Amino acid sequence: MLPPMFEPMVARAAEQFNRLPVVWLHFAECTGCSEALLRSSYPNVADILLETISLEYHETIMAAAGYQAEQNLEKAITDFKKKFICVIEGAIPRGLGGKYLTLGRRGRHRFR
């Protein structure tokens, strides 16, 4: 708890605050990490998404699907190049030369 004299400094800092872009990728996982995020209580998921991060891509909770989802992923990677945090949920399967976990015609190997 900060003393009241710090309120103006905190307010000025908050004006400069931008939410951190996050790209959340799913690999060999059970969605348990996403469940933990969605069920968080302090801070709750609404506060996290509206005040702290900008969740640019998350397969489980995004409205887009198929080609639109893949376009959103590519846009996020391009728009926030070297400025986003990439969250990896689950293990990265590397068997059979990267043939596991292929979506459509493309595998996830492009993120290595």
Side-chain angles (χ1 to χ4, degrees), residues 5-85:
M5 66 184 216
F6 287 102
E7 286 179 18
M9 286 184 281
V10 172
R12 280 194 301 278
E15 290 172 2
Q16 304 295 323
F17 184 73
N18 290 322
R19 294 180 304 146
L20 179 67
V22 173
V23 172
W24 190 300
L25 300 176
H26 293 262
F27 290 92
E29 44 79 32
C30 65
T31 315
C33 297
S34 294
E35 286 286 331
L37 170 70
L38 294 172
R39 296 170 191 251
S40 62
S41 58
Y42 185 79
N44 65 39
V45 69
D47 290 340
I48 293 168
L49 294 177
L50 298 174
E51 297 176 12
T52 307
I53 68 170
S54 175
L55 191 55
E56 298 295 322
Y57 182 85
H58 189 295
E59 295 170 358
T60 305
I61 62 176
M62 64 191 295
Y67 291 116
Q68 185 182 30
E70 289 297 310
Q71 288 172 346
N72 288 348
L73 174 59
E74 296 299 330
K75 183 175 182 344
I77 291 170
T78 302
D79 289 354
F80 301 106
K81 189 172 186 163
K82 297 185 180 184
K83 296 180 183 176
F84 69 91
I85 297 294

